Amino acid sequence: MTKTLERALAPLMTIGGFCNLCMFEYPLGKPRTYISYLYALTKWSLLVYFNYYPEFIISLKIYKMIFTSDIILLITFILILISICHFKELKMCLRELAIVDHTLEALGEPKEYQRRRNWIIRITIGWIAYVLFQSAFYIIINLFIVNFDTYKRIFFFSIFFAFQYTYPSNIIILSALISAAILGLVLYMCIHLLCKLFLLTLCIKMFIVKPIQTLCIKMFIVKPIQTFC
């Protein structure tokens, strides 16, 4: 049974950690900053040195133009840097959301962490399925372009290149999903909190303020007038 908001978001945040959009946490709530930085630096250094940089140089020298994939890669780097730099703010935001959730619970709104976790798991599985489908599509396209006998020899390399070719765009999609999930939680909680506060204010006006006003009118206006008359 999921008991906290962070546990509900854990599947998406774990995938985000492997894509350098979040930090690794073990146990949950305790970021492993050093490991996260080392992992990000090692992975992206290898990818850039052996793959992205040579491709960029070749496209610049031969075609003398910058392709969309280069712009996507740049956006990916920016997103990763922003995500890592603002990870503490993200955790603070989640803690504040948890406080709002406790407030909603005090106002009678049940916590639905398990349902939210199920939705997050579905989103994560959907993203993984999309990544696999995209990579498979890229491999099949290459199969029709390259000779089959040649393709059999470079099959494993083709899988790697398919994955790394779509990797930056997939990170951008994952970043959008994480942002959408958190923004959705914020909107959901704000709407429910406003509704509860509105109902509470309405009840206070109807059952407390109005009777007091009526009593005050009777005591300080009606009675003196009756006595005077």
Side-chain angles (χ1 to χ4, degrees), residues 158-169:
S158 181
I159 292 173
F160 170 73
F161 285 124
F163 177 74
Q164 63 83 26
Y165 180 76
T166 57
Y167 189 55
S169 59

Side-chain angles (χ1 to χ4, degrees), residues 22-227:
C22 306
M23 289 188 187
F24 291 116
E25 291 184 311
Y26 186 81
L28 191 67
K30 191 174 181 182
R32 301 293 177 177
T33 310
Y34 178 75
I35 295 172
S36 301
Y37 287 159
L38 184 64
Y39 167 71
L41 188 63
T42 306
K43 184 181 75 175
W44 284 104
S45 298
L46 291 172
L47 283 173
V48 169
Y49 183 77
F50 288 108
N51 197 354
Y52 295 126
Y53 181 71
E55 282 183 5
F56 177 73
I57 293 298
I58 289 168
S59 64
L60 203 62
K61 281 185 177 179
I62 296 175
Y63 301 106
K64 294 182 180 179
M65 61 175 66
I66 296 173
F67 293 101
T68 312
S69 57
D70 301 322
I71 298 169
I72 290 172
L73 183 62
L74 180 63
I75 293 169
T76 305
F77 284 141
I78 293 168
L79 274 176
I80 287 170
L81 289 172
I82 291 170
S83 301
I84 289 174
C85 292
H86 292 279
F87 184 73
K88 285 185 179 178
E89 285 84 349
L90 175 63
K91 298 302 288 184
M92 286 176 64
C93 173
L94 290 177
R95 289 191 191 101
E96 288 172 4
L97 283 175
I99 293 168
V100 174
D101 221 11
H102 292 318
T103 308
L104 284 170
E105 188 187 22
L107 292 171
E109 184 73 22
K111 290 182 179 179
E112 298 176 338
Y113 290 142
Q114 189 60 45
R115 191 162 70 89
R116 292 171 194 172
R117 183 181 174 85
N118 292 338
W119 273 106
I120 294 295
I121 289 170
R122 289 190 191 107
I123 290 169
T124 308
I125 291 170
W127 180 80
I128 292 169
Y130 172 76
V131 170
L132 294 175
F133 172 78
Q134 198 178 29
S135 301
F137 179 76
Y138 184 78
I139 291 166
I140 291 166
I141 291 296
N142 283 342
L143 178 63
F144 286 105
I145 294 171
V146 183
N147 182 271
F148 185 71
D149 294 327
T150 309
Y151 192 76
K152 282 194 293 186
R153 290 195 292 271
I154 61 167
F155 179 71
F156 292 106
F157 290 103
S158 181
I159 292 173
F160 170 73
F161 285 124
F163 177 74
Q164 63 83 26
Y165 180 76
T166 57
Y167 189 55
S169 59
N170 291 331
I171 288 179
I172 293 171
I173 293 168
L174 182 62
S175 175
L177 287 174
I178 292 171
S179 303
I182 294 170
L183 186 61
L185 282 173
V186 171
L187 290 174
Y188 173 83
M189 289 181 183
C190 286
I191 289 167
H192 276 256
L193 185 61
L194 287 171
C195 289
K196 289 289 180 182
L197 289 174
F198 175 74
L199 290 172
L200 186 64
T201 309
L202 199 64
C203 290
I204 289 170
K205 279 185 177 180
M206 286 179 66
F207 299 107
I208 297 174
V209 176
K210 275 196 173 182
I212 290 172
Q213 284 178 346
T214 308
L215 187 64
C216 289
I217 289 167
K218 282 182 179 179
M219 286 180 65
F220 298 106
I221 298 174
V222 177
K223 270 194 174 183
I225 290 171
Q226 287 176 349
T227 308

